[in-house]
């Protein structure tokens, strides 16, 4: 089969690009700990109903420097929306949506995921640097989307 030299060049270039992107994904995953967040389980299995109330959100200390946060996203806020932890804490977030599709991005961290109704999203991060970490909803969820935020205060 005859392939025009230019076409052959472009085929080779695109294969090289795929290999480069593959290496970039592998490197970022291994060096920066970036991973694809996934649904860990159905909300029903955790005992937290889809219509959970703010009282069903909590911050639990598992041990020295280890925390678990059960966070509820709803129109238009997060519960809890202010979390205070000491420097060096490792926090596992469990995210539930009470109504529609939301998202969460914690600035300055690798935590970024969709919050899907009926599913529980899980992400873990170690806060080594003291300061304020703002978190935002990054999936458009209606009129109040832009006010849907909170913060994590890491005390030094
Ligand atoms: Cu919730 Cu945008």
């Amino acid at each position: 089969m005859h392939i025009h030299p230019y076409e052959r060049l472009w085929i080779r270039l695109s294969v090289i690009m795929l290999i480069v992107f593959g290496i970039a994904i592998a490197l970022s995953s291994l060096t920066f700990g970036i991973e694809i967040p996934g649904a860990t389980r159905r909300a029903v299995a955790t005992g937290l109903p889809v219509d959970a109330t703010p009282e069903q959100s909590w911050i639990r200390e598992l041990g020295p420097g280890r925390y678990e946060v059960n966070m509820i996203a709803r129109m238009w806020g997060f519960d809890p929306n202010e979390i205070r932890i000491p420097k060096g804490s490792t926090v596992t977030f469990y995210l539930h949506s009470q109504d529609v599709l939301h998202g969460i991005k914690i600035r300055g961290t690798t935590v970024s995921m969709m919050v899907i109704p009926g599913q529980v999203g899980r992400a873990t991060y170690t806060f080594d640097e003291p300061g304020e970490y703002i978190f935002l909803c990054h999936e458009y969820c209606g009129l109040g989307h832009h006010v849907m935020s909170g913060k994590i205060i890491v005390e030094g």
Side-chain angles (χ1 to χ4, degrees):
M1 187 176 73
H2 174 73
I3 301 175
H4 190 278
Y6 281 169
E7 195 164 355
R8 182 172 300 142
L9 177 70
W10 283 113
I11 291 170
R12 285 185 178 148
L13 273 177
S14 45
V15 170
I16 290 168
M17 293 294 281
L18 280 177
I19 293 167
V20 168
F21 290 151
I23 291 170
I25 291 170
L27 277 181
S28 59
S29 157
L30 295 171
T31 16
F32 303 113
I34 295 169
E35 55 185 72
I36 299 168
T40 54
R41 53 201 175 183
R42 303 291 295 175
V44 179
T46 66
L48 189 75
V50 176
D51 59 349
T53 60
E55 290 71 39
Q56 284 168 294
S57 67
W58 38 252
I59 305 166
R60 180 186 288 162
E61 189 173 2
L62 300 176
R66 295 195 57 81
Y67 294 84
E68 241 181 23
V69 175
N70 207 44
M71 191 180 268
I72 301 166
R74 53 173 168 72
M75 289 190 241
W76 286 283
F78 292 98
D79 284 305
N81 73 349
E82 190 178 305
I83 298 165
R84 211 171 268 273
I85 47 164
K87 181 184 142 186
S89 298
T90 299
V91 185
T92 300
F93 298 91
Y94 293 98
L95 274 122
H96 312 254
S97 168
Q98 193 174 356
D99 37 44
V100 298
L101 185 71
H102 295 282
I104 187 168
K105 164 77 188 155
I106 307 177
R107 275 173 55 186
T109 74
T110 54
V111 178
S112 176
M113 71 172 122
M114 294 209 299
V115 187
I116 303 161
Q119 295 192 354
V120 182
R122 184 182 65 189
T124 300
Y125 188 78
T126 302
F127 293 86
D128 286 323
E129 297 296 324
E132 275 192 14
Y133 295 75
I134 303 287
F135 55 86
L136 309 156
C137 176
H138 62 29
E139 293 285 338
Y140 183 71
C141 55
L143 280 180
H145 164 70
H146 61 287
V147 298
M148 198 170 161
S149 68
K151 64 182 169 187
I152 297 162
I153 300 156
V154 180
E155 293 167 332

PDB file of all heavy atoms in Angstrom, residues 76 101-103 137-141 145 148, ligand 1:
ATOM      1  N   TRP A  76     -26.372  25.606  48.291  1.00  0.00           N
ATOM      2  CA  TRP A  76     -25.114  25.823  47.650  1.00  0.00           C
ATOM      3  C   TRP A  76     -24.084  26.007  48.738  1.00  0.00           C
ATOM      4  O   TRP A  76     -23.763  27.129  49.134  1.00  0.00           O
ATOM      5  CB  TRP A  76     -25.169  27.058  46.738  1.00  0.00           C
ATOM      6  CG  TRP A  76     -25.937  26.785  45.493  1.00  0.00           C
ATOM      7  CD1 TRP A  76     -25.493  26.093  44.408  1.00  0.00           C
ATOM      8  CD2 TRP A  76     -27.275  27.177  45.180  1.00  0.00           C
ATOM      9  NE1 TRP A  76     -26.467  26.025  43.432  1.00  0.00           N
ATOM     10  CE2 TRP A  76     -27.571  26.686  43.896  1.00  0.00           C
ATOM     11  CE3 TRP A  76     -28.268  27.877  45.876  1.00  0.00           C
ATOM     12  CZ2 TRP A  76     -28.806  26.889  43.274  1.00  0.00           C
ATOM     13  CZ3 TRP A  76     -29.488  28.070  45.258  1.00  0.00           C
ATOM     14  CH2 TRP A  76     -29.737  27.574  43.967  1.00  0.00           C
ATOM     15  N   LEU A 101     -25.299  17.197  40.857  1.00  0.00           N
ATOM     16  CA  LEU A 101     -23.867  16.999  40.651  1.00  0.00           C
ATOM     17  C   LEU A 101     -23.096  18.226  41.135  1.00  0.00           C
ATOM     18  O   LEU A 101     -23.398  19.348  40.740  1.00  0.00           O
ATOM     19  CB  LEU A 101     -23.601  16.776  39.162  1.00  0.00           C
ATOM     20  CG  LEU A 101     -22.166  16.441  38.764  1.00  0.00           C
ATOM     21  CD1 LEU A 101     -21.801  15.044  39.212  1.00  0.00           C
ATOM     22  CD2 LEU A 101     -21.999  16.563  37.273  1.00  0.00           C
ATOM     23  N   HIS A 102     -22.132  18.011  42.018  1.00  0.00           N
ATOM     24  CA  HIS A 102     -21.242  19.080  42.463  1.00  0.00           C
ATOM     25  C   HIS A 102     -19.803  18.633  42.207  1.00  0.00           C
ATOM     26  O   HIS A 102     -19.564  17.554  41.663  1.00  0.00           O
ATOM     27  CB  HIS A 102     -21.417  19.352  43.963  1.00  0.00           C
ATOM     28  CG  HIS A 102     -22.761  19.890  44.328  1.00  0.00           C
ATOM     29  ND1 HIS A 102     -23.115  21.203  44.141  1.00  0.00           N
ATOM     30  CD2 HIS A 102     -23.856  19.283  44.864  1.00  0.00           C
ATOM     31  CE1 HIS A 102     -24.363  21.391  44.567  1.00  0.00           C
ATOM     32  NE2 HIS A 102     -24.842  20.244  45.001  1.00  0.00           N
ATOM     33  N   GLY A 103     -18.871  19.473  42.619  1.00  0.00           N
ATOM     34  CA  GLY A 103     -17.464  19.120  42.500  1.00  0.00           C
ATOM     35  C   GLY A 103     -16.732  19.721  43.670  1.00  0.00           C
ATOM     36  O   GLY A 103     -17.272  20.558  44.390  1.00  0.00           O
ATOM     37  N   CYS A 137     -16.633  24.520  44.736  1.00  0.00           N
ATOM     38  CA  CYS A 137     -17.367  23.608  43.842  1.00  0.00           C
ATOM     39  C   CYS A 137     -16.959  23.971  42.422  1.00  0.00           C
ATOM     40  O   CYS A 137     -16.978  25.131  42.046  1.00  0.00           O
ATOM     41  CB  CYS A 137     -18.868  23.792  44.026  1.00  0.00           C
ATOM     42  SG  CYS A 137     -19.840  22.799  42.880  1.00  0.00           S
ATOM     43  N   HIS A 138     -16.552  22.965  41.645  1.00  0.00           N
ATOM     44  CA  HIS A 138     -16.120  23.274  40.279  1.00  0.00           C
ATOM     45  C   HIS A 138     -16.979  22.602  39.208  1.00  0.00           C
ATOM     46  O   HIS A 138     -16.562  22.416  38.077  1.00  0.00           O
ATOM     47  CB  HIS A 138     -14.634  22.991  40.082  1.00  0.00           C
ATOM     48  CG  HIS A 138     -14.241  21.542  40.269  1.00  0.00           C
ATOM     49  ND1 HIS A 138     -15.082  20.507  40.014  1.00  0.00           N
ATOM     50  CD2 HIS A 138     -13.085  20.993  40.684  1.00  0.00           C
ATOM     51  CE1 HIS A 138     -14.457  19.381  40.264  1.00  0.00           C
ATOM     52  NE2 HIS A 138     -13.245  19.650  40.686  1.00  0.00           N
ATOM     53  N   GLU A 139     -18.191  22.196  39.603  1.00  0.00           N
ATOM     54  CA  GLU A 139     -19.139  21.705  38.599  1.00  0.00           C
ATOM     55  C   GLU A 139     -20.334  22.648  38.678  1.00  0.00           C
ATOM     56  O   GLU A 139     -20.892  22.840  39.765  1.00  0.00           O
ATOM     57  CB  GLU A 139     -19.597  20.274  38.929  1.00  0.00           C
ATOM     58  CG  GLU A 139     -18.517  19.222  38.820  1.00  0.00           C
ATOM     59  CD  GLU A 139     -18.165  18.861  37.392  1.00  0.00           C
ATOM     60  OE1 GLU A 139     -18.996  19.089  36.488  1.00  0.00           O
ATOM     61  OE2 GLU A 139     -17.046  18.374  37.174  1.00  0.00           O
ATOM     62  N   TYR A 140     -20.721  23.217  37.554  1.00  0.00           N
ATOM     63  CA  TYR A 140     -21.818  24.189  37.603  1.00  0.00           C
ATOM     64  C   TYR A 140     -23.086  23.520  38.142  1.00  0.00           C
ATOM     65  O   TYR A 140     -23.526  22.504  37.622  1.00  0.00           O
ATOM     66  CB  TYR A 140     -22.082  24.797  36.227  1.00  0.00           C
ATOM     67  CG  TYR A 140     -23.151  25.844  36.304  1.00  0.00           C
ATOM     68  CD1 TYR A 140     -22.895  27.061  36.933  1.00  0.00           C
ATOM     69  CD2 TYR A 140     -24.433  25.609  35.830  1.00  0.00           C
ATOM     70  CE1 TYR A 140     -23.884  28.017  37.071  1.00  0.00           C
ATOM     71  CE2 TYR A 140     -25.426  26.556  35.959  1.00  0.00           C
ATOM     72  CZ  TYR A 140     -25.143  27.759  36.581  1.00  0.00           C
ATOM     73  OH  TYR A 140     -26.125  28.695  36.724  1.00  0.00           O
ATOM     74  N   CYS A 141     -23.628  24.093  39.221  1.00  0.00           N
ATOM     75  CA  CYS A 141     -24.749  23.437  39.896  1.00  0.00           C
ATOM     76  C   CYS A 141     -25.915  24.398  40.141  1.00  0.00           C
ATOM     77  O   CYS A 141     -26.728  24.179  41.028  1.00  0.00           O
ATOM     78  CB  CYS A 141     -24.273  22.828  41.206  1.00  0.00           C
ATOM     79  SG  CYS A 141     -23.462  23.995  42.299  1.00  0.00           S
ATOM     80  N   HIS A 145     -23.876  28.570  42.476  1.00  0.00           N
ATOM     81  CA  HIS A 145     -22.624  27.810  42.279  1.00  0.00           C
ATOM     82  C   HIS A 145     -21.385  28.589  42.724  1.00  0.00           C
ATOM     83  O   HIS A 145     -20.502  28.047  43.383  1.00  0.00           O
ATOM     84  CB  HIS A 145     -22.520  27.424  40.804  1.00  0.00           C
ATOM     85  CG  HIS A 145     -21.164  26.991  40.374  1.00  0.00           C
ATOM     86  ND1 HIS A 145     -20.606  25.803  40.778  1.00  0.00           N
ATOM     87  CD2 HIS A 145     -20.229  27.602  39.591  1.00  0.00           C
ATOM     88  CE1 HIS A 145     -19.393  25.690  40.235  1.00  0.00           C
ATOM     89  NE2 HIS A 145     -19.151  26.760  39.531  1.00  0.00           N
ATOM     90  N   MET A 148     -20.406  28.595  46.449  1.00  0.00           N
ATOM     91  CA  MET A 148     -20.258  27.306  47.103  1.00  0.00           C
ATOM     92  C   MET A 148     -18.777  27.047  47.409  1.00  0.00           C
ATOM     93  O   MET A 148     -18.011  26.623  46.555  1.00  0.00           O
ATOM     94  CB  MET A 148     -20.822  26.215  46.182  1.00  0.00           C
ATOM     95  CG  MET A 148     -21.104  24.940  46.893  1.00  0.00           C
ATOM     96  SD  MET A 148     -22.013  23.808  45.867  1.00  0.00           S
ATOM     97  CE  MET A 148     -21.646  22.307  46.758  1.00  0.00           C
TER      98      MET A 148
HETATM   99 CU1  LIG B   1     -22.044  22.961  43.634  1.00  0.00          CU
HETATM  100 CU2  LIG B   1     -21.274  24.193  41.752  1.00  0.00          CU
END
